Amino acid sequence: MAVKDRDRFSTATRIRLIGEQTAARVYRSQTKRQARRSRLTGRAALLALVVCSLIVALAYPMRQYVSQRADIADLQQEKDEARQRVEQLRDTKARWQDDAYAEQQVRARLHYVMPGETGYIVIDPGTAEQPRADRGSADRPWYANVWDGVDKSDAAER
């Protein structure tokens, strides 16, 4: 027993005992740190708050930016359409400057004929057979039809 007591107070035994106690403390502190690291820390919460506030602060300007880009694209399309329309009108104006084109349009639209030519108008038989409601008014002079229209509108007011 004397050897055991002497061994208990020896320097090597004390150092070994202190090392074991220190190792146990370090192990306990590491497990506590690992347990704490899994939780949300104050720095992480602050970082999340800053990121969320940046997202909220930038959401409206980004929406405005996208909206304005869409408006710009629409206006550019309208500008291109207007440019094409102007080009078409310039082409039409240039064609009307040509006497041959003007003569062709007058003949087609107003049914004009040159002296010595005979003009014909072909009427579609399907449209000629449709009855008109007031066939009797075609046989009278135009001023009689106008006067009847005035009488009818005057009678409608009464």
Side-chain angles (χ1 to χ4, degrees), residues 1-17:
M1 190 149 155
V3 175
K4 199 173 193 186
D5 286 337
R6 195 174 65 166
D7 193 34
R8 188 172 130 196
F9 293 110
S10 71
T11 308
T13 305
R14 282 190 213 160
I15 290 176
R16 188 180 56 205
L17 186 62

Side-chain angles (χ1 to χ4, degrees), residues 25-42:
R25 282 187 211 134
V26 167
Y27 178 74
R28 281 190 303 240
S29 69
Q30 285 178 352
T31 57
K32 287 181 182 178
R33 286 182 190 159
Q34 289 173 354
R36 270 191 243 146
R37 288 185 187 186
S38 65
R39 293 187 220 152
L40 184 67
T41 63

Side-chain angles (χ1 to χ4, degrees), residues 69-82:
R69 295 303 295 173
D71 291 343
I72 288 170
D74 291 342
L75 290 174
Q76 285 177 345
Q77 182 180 2
E78 288 178 16
K79 182 180 81 171
D80 292 340
E81 290 172 0

Side-chain angles (χ1 to χ4, degrees), residues 46-58:
L46 182 64
L47 180 64
L49 181 66
V50 168
V51 169
C52 288
S53 63
L54 284 175
I55 289 172
V56 168
L58 294 177

Side-chain angles (χ1 to χ4, degrees), residues 13 15 18 21 42-43 54 60 63 66-67 70 82 90 97 101 105 109 113-114 118 121 139 151 158:
T13 305
I15 290 176
I18 291 173
Q21 291 173 352
R43 288 181 183 173
L54 284 175
Y60 183 74
R63 191 186 79 180
V66 170
S67 173
R90 285 183 181 157
Q97 298 298 324
Y101 180 78
Q105 292 298 315
R109 294 181 185 189
V113 292
M114 296 299 285
T118 305
I121 298 177
D139 298 334
D151 287 340
R158 291 181 190 164

Side-chain angles (χ1 to χ4, degrees), residues 76-150:
Q76 285 177 345
Q77 182 180 2
E78 288 178 16
K79 182 180 81 171
D80 292 340
E81 290 172 0
R83 182 179 295 132
Q84 290 175 356
R85 179 69 179 140
V86 166
E87 289 175 7
Q88 289 174 352
L89 290 173
R90 285 183 181 157
D91 291 343
T92 304
K93 181 181 175 185
R95 276 188 276 165
W96 277 100
Q97 298 298 324
D98 184 22
D99 290 336
Y101 180 78
E103 182 180 330
Q104 176 189 7
Q105 292 298 315
V106 166
R107 286 173 167 253
R109 294 181 185 189
L110 302 176
H111 306 289
Y112 279 16
V113 292
M114 296 299 285
E117 295 179 351
T118 305
Y120 295 99
I121 298 177
V122 179
I123 299 175
D124 185 21
T127 58
E129 294 175 2
Q130 294 177 353
R132 287 184 51 192
D134 49 352
R135 239 337 162 186
S137 64
D139 298 334
R140 300 184 311 173
W142 65 271
Y143 49 84
N145 291 334
V146 171
W147 192 253
D148 286 341
V150 171

